[in-house]
Amino acid sequence: MNIRPGKEFLSQPYWRHLAEGTLHLNSCNDCGSSHHPPSPLCPKCHSFNTGWKPASGKGTLNSFSVIRHAVHPSLADKVPYIITLVDLEEGVRLVSGIPAGMDVDLEVGMPLECKVVKIDDEFALPYFVPVEND
Amino acid sequence: MKTSIIGIGQTEFSTHSGRSELQLALEAILSALKDAGLEVNDIDGLVRYTWDNTTEAAIVNALGLPRLKYYGETEFGGVNCCGAIAQASAAIEAGLASCVVFYRALNARSGVRFGRGERILVEEGEHVVCHQPEPPGDIYSAPFGLLVPGQHHALYAQSYKGHYGLSDDAFAHMLGSVAVTQRGYANNNPRALLRDKKMTMDDYRNARVISEPLRIFDYCLETDGAMAIVLVSRERARQMNVKAVDILAAEQYIHPGSVPMFLYAKKTYSLVPEEAGDILFGKAQMSPSDIDVAMIYDATSMMVPLALEDFGFIGRGEAHDFLTSGGNAIDGNLPINTHGGLLSEGYFHGLNTIAEGVRQLRGESPNQVDAETVFMTLRGASSMIMGRA
Ligand SMILES: [Zn+2]
């Protein structure tokens, strides 16, 4: 059982773009800066002329936690799972996680890249995973 | 500030109060008035958290108050508990009210629990759904399983651990020094929920991990009960036959991303706007070295090292050495949370933390320090300095 935002949120651009497979960031059409969570006003230049642009998907790990205690019955069969804070190249932070079953060795400051994981037709999540070394 | 705390009152700390939050609030208010030597009708102002389930109207009606001239509300619960004191003080100094009660009542163990996801999630058909726009447990966090405040604290802890490159062992020693020292304080405190439970560093290290790197003993106690605090002007306090404690400075702050829960703040290993300490100590015309004892809102043990560094009691990255060498102990440089803290006394959303500061300055602490000044903070969202009258 997955936890998801209510329908009133899933119809908004952030979640619609994810459901279509890409992470987009709320961004200012005047000064170009990106923001998260989305807002009607650009906090840098105070323009209301904001829109959406695709994220590069590159970020670094700000922090993480391996959650061992399930705080809701729907998470009982999911623990342990990993939550993360990711600082994106665009200067915004996202809450994210590591997809279930992925074996990772995490360190604060390490580079990560976005992997959008589709849950169903209406809903997908922006996970961030360690950058693969070639 | 030119105000004083002249009364504190509370119910017992428990895990099952067996009574309504309104009744708990009223019991605490009457107890605080008795401590202050005042009558119910002396109250003309109330301050409450927006998160409290009891309302000004319910309190006024239940007390049969002839009038309430000022009522204030403050957001974000416990993190703003010094902000509530600032608000009560501002109302008194502005002449809006002469006697303000700040209270908090909660059945936080037997009722809705802050440590559980049920507070924010609902089942809709085959889905578990979040409708909450802001943290903790908002729509951007909940789908990843970030649901409760304690998990955010694990993120601050890991960020700090990573930033300063502390090993698992060194980090556990640092936080264990907070938890074990505070449990020792609680063992001397007849009010404390965990007064009879001893804890050693081995007990701490062997404890169950909840959210890495935090163990169960790093977390505060979900508690039932209520507390109330009575404030009047310093001038009026001096004319009364009470044990007053002066508010020397009280501040609240928000910086970008800081509330709720610091998810989007620039730094997550330091939880305060850069200038917060300077503003607070400047207003009290003091420096950190003038402080005799500190009360730090320990929703988790991690709040203690962060506050020590954020407010300049020690240098950045020095918390490990300070805490593992007993800096927070009764004979240390700065005894901290001498009631046992939210970790071991109980959790009245910070009001019991204020109350212990008051007790220290009145000479009534179970772990008494020769204290003339008390510092108190809530994760860089509000802070204050109290002084012996
Ligand atoms: Zn802009």
Side-chain angles (χ1 to χ4, degrees):
Chain A
M1 201 153 42
N2 286 95
I3 298 168
R4 60 172 61 211
K7 275 197 180 335
E8 71 278 24
F9 295 107
L10 290 180
S11 61
Q12 292 176 357
Y14 179 81
W15 294 105
R16 274 209 336 266
H17 283 295
L18 282 169
E20 286 159 15
T22 56
L23 173 64
H24 277 60
L25 295 173
N26 185 210
S27 302
C28 177
N29 293 330
D30 289 339
C31 77
S33 66
S34 297
H35 337 110
H36 184 79
S39 160
L41 183 71
C42 169
K44 297 259 164 55
C45 76
H46 303 147
S47 166
F48 283 103
N49 182 20
T50 62
W52 294 86
K53 72 179 180 196
S56 75
K58 295 195 177 92
T60 56
L61 182 62
N62 176 280
S63 191
F64 65 98
S65 179
V66 181
I67 307 293
R68 300 199 171 272
H69 173 73
V71 298
H72 190 266
S74 66
L75 296 167
D77 59 357
K78 300 233 162 59
V79 287
Y81 61 88
I82 301 173
I83 56 172
T84 58
L85 295 181
V86 183
D87 290 329
L88 270 58
E89 193 174 60
E90 289 86 351
V92 306
R93 179 167 307 144
L94 251 56
V95 174
S96 184
I98 300 293
M102 183 178 267
D103 190 21
V104 290
D105 197 7
L106 297 180
E107 203 174 308
V108 167
M110 73 190 292
L112 300 172
E113 63 191 5
C114 187
K115 180 178 158 82
V116 176
V117 174
K118 183 175 171 164
I119 313 293
D120 57 35
D121 285 345
E122 292 179 313
F123 176 47
L125 283 172
Y127 284 91
F128 279 78
V129 300
V131 177
E132 279 188 40
N133 294 321
D134 308 312
Chain B
M1 296 274 163
K2 292 191 167 57
T3 55
S4 304
I5 292 174
I6 57 162
I8 52 175
Q10 68 175 93
T11 66
E12 77 286 4
F13 296 99
S14 79
T15 53
H16 196 280
S17 72
R19 33 212 212 278
S20 70
E21 290 176 333
L22 178 60
Q23 177 165 342
L24 295 171
L26 296 167
E27 288 178 21
I29 291 170
L30 292 179
S31 162
L33 287 170
K34 192 174 171 204
D35 184 53
L38 293 175
E39 304 291 330
V40 167
N41 288 2
D42 289 323
I43 301 175
D44 60 2
L46 270 184
V47 173
R48 63 185 281 279
Y49 294 144
T50 53
W51 293 9
D52 202 283
N53 294 317
T54 67
T55 62
E56 298 89 347
I59 300 289
V60 168
N61 292 336
L63 290 175
L65 274 185
R67 77 229 157 318
L68 196 64
K69 291 161 65 186
Y70 173 78
Y71 50 96
E73 296 186 335
T74 174
E75 252 293 350
F76 311 123
V79 297
N80 205 13
C81 106
C82 301
I85 295 289
Q87 195 174 124
S89 296
I92 291 166
E93 289 181 22
L96 296 173
S98 61
C99 175
V100 178
V101 171
F102 168 36
Y103 76 97
R104 175 71 167 126
L106 66 177
N107 280 325
R109 183 61 181 79
S110 67
V112 176
R113 297 173 59 184
F114 283 98
R116 295 292 307 173
E118 284 85 345
R119 195 166 72 99
I120 45 154
L121 299 178
V122 287
E123 287 191 30
E124 294 175 9
E126 59 189 301
H127 298 308
V128 180
V129 177
C130 173
H131 294 281
Q132 186 162 302
E134 290 195 342
D138 64 287
I139 52 164
Y140 302 104
S141 307
F144 292 103
L146 171 54
L147 293 164
V148 302
Q151 295 169 335
H152 290 73
H153 285 241
L155 292 169
Y156 315 146
Q158 193 70 255
S159 174
Y160 182 96
K161 182 172 178 276
H163 185 77
Y164 291 107
L166 290 175
S167 67
D168 289 349
D169 186 66
F171 192 76
H173 194 192
M174 176 176 82
L175 293 191
S177 299
V178 174
V180 172
T181 300
Q182 291 189 195
R183 182 63 63 82
Y185 288 139
N187 293 149
N188 295 332
N189 175 359
R191 282 177 299 271
L193 271 177
L194 300 185
R195 62 187 169 271
D196 298 326
K197 299 231 166 94
K198 304 271 187 203
M199 180 168 62
T200 65
M201 187 61 85
D202 278 345
D203 295 333
Y204 172 84
R205 286 182 184 274
N206 295 329
R208 187 160 64 99
V209 173
I210 300 296
S211 298
E212 286 184 17
L214 300 181
R215 295 165 167 78
I216 188 145
F217 295 137
D218 290 310
Y219 284 93
C220 64
L221 307 166
E222 291 170 311
T223 307
D224 286 10
M227 183 130 210
I229 295 171
V230 185
L231 292 103
V232 297
S233 70
R234 200 177 296 175
E235 190 184 359
R236 183 170 168 195
R238 293 289 183 277
Q239 293 158 6
M240 297 171 68
N241 183 27
V242 287
K243 290 187 225 171
V245 163
D246 294 338
I247 306 299
L248 304 180
E251 298 284 316
Q252 57 183 165
Y253 339 89
I254 289 182
H255 62 286
S258 72
V259 279
M261 300 314 299
F262 282 86
L263 269 187
Y264 301 106
K266 198 168 171 190
K267 291 180 191 167
T268 47
Y269 58 86
S270 157
L271 303 179
V272 74
E274 303 279 346
E275 70 283 7
D278 290 343
I279 293 173
L280 181 77
F281 286 108
K283 287 215 170 140
Q285 296 181 297
M286 283 185 184
S287 69
S289 61
D290 295 320
I291 298 295
D292 298 318
V293 56
M295 299 300 148
I296 295 171
Y297 185 93
D298 51 330
T300 64
S301 57
M302 190 61 214
M303 298 299 97
V304 173
L306 289 176
L308 286 170
E309 295 183 12
D310 283 346
F311 284 88
F313 290 99
I314 54 177
R316 293 280 171 200
E318 292 178 5
H320 170 271
D321 291 355
F322 180 87
L323 291 166
T324 59
S325 65
N328 57 330
I330 194 79
D331 56 354
N333 269 351
L334 186 68
I336 298 168
N337 294 341
T338 48
H339 50 328
L342 307 178
L343 300 183
S344 286
E345 188 191 49
Y347 180 86
F348 287 166
H349 237 148
L351 279 74
N352 56 310
T353 315
I354 297 176
E356 174 64 8
V358 171
R359 290 191 178 104
Q360 280 289 358
L361 294 168
R362 300 194 333 188
E364 298 170 354
S365 169
N367 296 287
Q368 189 63 48
V369 175
D370 182 21
E372 289 185 6
T373 52
V374 171
F375 165 84
M376 160 137 190
T377 195
L378 286 288
R379 201 177 59 216
S382 72
S383 57
M384 69 174 170
I385 297 171
M386 296 183 279
R388 200 191 280 170

